[in-house]
Amino acid sequence: MSDLSTTRTFAPRVIHAWSREAIGLQLEGTTNTAYVAVSATNVWPTANLALLVPFYTTGDLTVARMWVNNGTTPASSWDIGIYTPAGTLVVSSGATVASGSAAVQEFNVTGTRLGAGRDFYLALMNTGNTGQVAGAALTNLQFSRLMGCQQVATAGTLVTGATLASCTFAIMPLFGLTTRAT
Amino acid sequence: MGLLNEIAPWPAGGPTVHVASPESLGDTLRGAAFASAAWSAISRIFLMPFELTRPYLVAQLFLFNGAAVSGNVDVGIYTDQLQRIASSGSTVQAGVNVLQLFNVTEFTLNPGQYYLAAVANNTTGTSTRANVGAARQKIAGVLQLNSTFPLPASASAAVQSTIAYLPMVGFTKLTTL
């Protein structure tokens, strides 16, 4: 095969659940709108249940920080991280108190390189079931399954070797990673 | 043989590939309304194009059933030349408003262009489908083949679709979906 087939692209500085490298286009295709509406009142459905959203790296990148867009009334603690498709935890913030009404809350994580052309999951977990997160309300929880999302039961922090299970989330939060340190 | 440092361009084939994913008709279906509705005609096959930029190990096929199920369905994958690669075979439609999964012997699709296919043998059972209009279907290259059940080895007689909707059908590399 010719070298002409080799494709190199850069990774974006920010990848989040709604990015095209994740499930952004599918989200638009299944929420019946070309511009997905953001609600700030999505309640985390189950305490200690982690949502995993697939994404693809189009280029090498180093994760510097992660973030979640809190809802109007954040509560309990977040743990946010990245998993491999096999359920290995690559990096995470550890449990951190949710704070900042309707604000983007950032989390320092150990700088972690993700190689190009790989599959990963963004993971987000809340220790309670009353806190609110900004995101989309799905018209049918089957859509989260359809988009390849998974979930993981935890005991309060993202587990190192996770058993991925069929997704039951009917919300799609805004959360992700950034390569920027500030 | 691929180069060791070759990086598949996006979309490279995520955990799931389906009618509304970027590997298939995601661009075309933006803003389309998904709803439960009966199959439009007995034994009408829909063929939806998709493409892959890296090898993909298919573990399961699926169809998003609607509010009523009936009779049998068949879902599968065809080559760009409309030759069947794999299919579920005629299977009882089961499970209301859920993804019905079809286990198949795992097989690999190499980078290239293919078609997703689905057919039902009755018009009582429903699927969750996107209403996109016949014009957009033509633009997207959707095909149809009437009066054929189950999915045949060759669908080369398929013609440009004139139907205004698309059933939600796809496949996954995951064993748990």
Side-chain angles (χ1 to χ4, degrees):
Chain A
M1 184 177 287
S2 162
D3 284 356
L4 292 175
S5 64
T6 299
T7 302
R8 288 184 178 282
T9 57
F10 295 101
R13 293 187 175 91
V14 176
I15 295 176
H16 55 80
W18 295 23
S19 295
R20 70 169 199 158
E21 293 81 6
I23 59 168
L25 197 54
Q26 297 183 63
L27 201 56
E28 292 180 353
T30 55
T31 51
N32 305 346
T33 172
Y35 299 98
V36 181
V38 179
S39 164
T41 57
N42 300 289
V43 178
W44 199 257
T46 304
N48 297 328
L49 188 63
L51 168 67
L52 275 63
V53 177
F55 72 98
Y56 178 74
T57 52
T58 53
D60 293 339
L61 62 92
T62 298
V63 182
R65 311 185 93 191
M66 299 192 73
W67 56 270
V68 61
N69 194 161
N70 284 322
T72 305
T73 310
S76 304
S77 294
W78 294 115
D79 194 356
I80 185 168
I82 296 170
Y83 278 99
T84 69
T88 300
L89 185 62
V90 178
V91 67
S92 67
S93 65
T96 306
V97 173
S99 66
S101 174
V104 174
Q105 183 174 356
E106 297 180 64
F107 306 84
N108 288 317
V109 296
T110 303
T112 303
R113 180 181 174 277
L114 303 180
R118 305 279 182 83
D119 297 304
F120 296 96
Y121 288 99
L122 290 165
L124 180 66
M125 185 275 294
N126 191 279
T127 57
N129 60 357
T130 59
Q132 295 178 334
V133 63
L138 305 179
T139 55
N140 189 318
L141 66 84
Q142 296 293 317
F143 286 135
S144 60
R145 296 178 65 197
L146 187 73
M147 295 184 283
C149 298
Q150 303 269 273
Q151 67 184 36
V152 171
T154 81
T157 57
L158 294 176
V159 293
T160 304
T163 300
L164 278 53
S166 183
C167 191
T168 60
F169 278 72
I171 61 171
M172 191 50 58
L174 271 168
F175 71 107
L177 64 84
T178 177
T179 61
R180 293 184 183 277
T182 58
Chain B
M1 179 180 292
L3 300 176
L4 290 177
N5 62 354
E6 187 172 341
I7 299 166
W10 182 91
T16 57
V17 175
H18 53 79
V19 172
S21 70
E23 297 84 359
S24 185
L25 306 180
D27 277 328
T28 304
L29 292 182
R30 286 169 135 169
F34 277 90
S36 171
W39 212 259
S40 64
I42 294 172
S43 302
R44 170 173 287 155
I45 299 172
F46 290 91
L47 294 136
M48 288 71 69
F50 70 96
E51 59 187 33
L52 296 171
T53 59
R54 61 175 171 171
Y56 195 105
L57 182 64
V58 179
Q60 298 184 95
L61 308 173
F62 61 80
L63 174 68
F64 194 170
N65 290 334
V69 292
S70 179
N72 285 40
V73 295
D74 193 2
V75 300
I77 296 173
Y78 282 77
T79 67
D80 194 40
Q81 290 73 43
L82 297 172
Q83 303 304 301
R84 189 184 63 210
I85 297 172
S87 67
S88 63
S90 178
T91 305
V92 173
Q93 190 183 26
V96 172
N97 292 324
V98 296
L99 297 181
Q100 182 173 359
L101 303 178
F102 306 89
N103 283 318
V104 293
T105 302
E106 290 186 352
F107 61 97
T108 299
L109 295 176
N110 289 317
Q113 296 176 311
Y114 302 93
Y115 285 92
L116 281 164
V119 62
N121 68 354
N122 66 93
T123 55
T124 303
T126 63
S127 67
T128 299
R129 68 188 199 185
N131 296 305
V132 294
R136 269 206 282 180
Q137 292 222 26
K138 285 183 179 179
I139 293 168
V142 177
L143 304 177
Q144 70 180 73
L145 181 60
N146 293 330
S147 305
T148 307
F149 188 92
L151 294 174
S154 173
S156 58
V159 298
Q160 201 171 55
S161 175
T162 58
I163 312 303
Y165 77 86
L166 293 171
M168 176 54 81
V169 59
F171 58 90
T172 178
K173 64 178 74 171
L174 302 174
T175 53
T176 301
L177 180 62

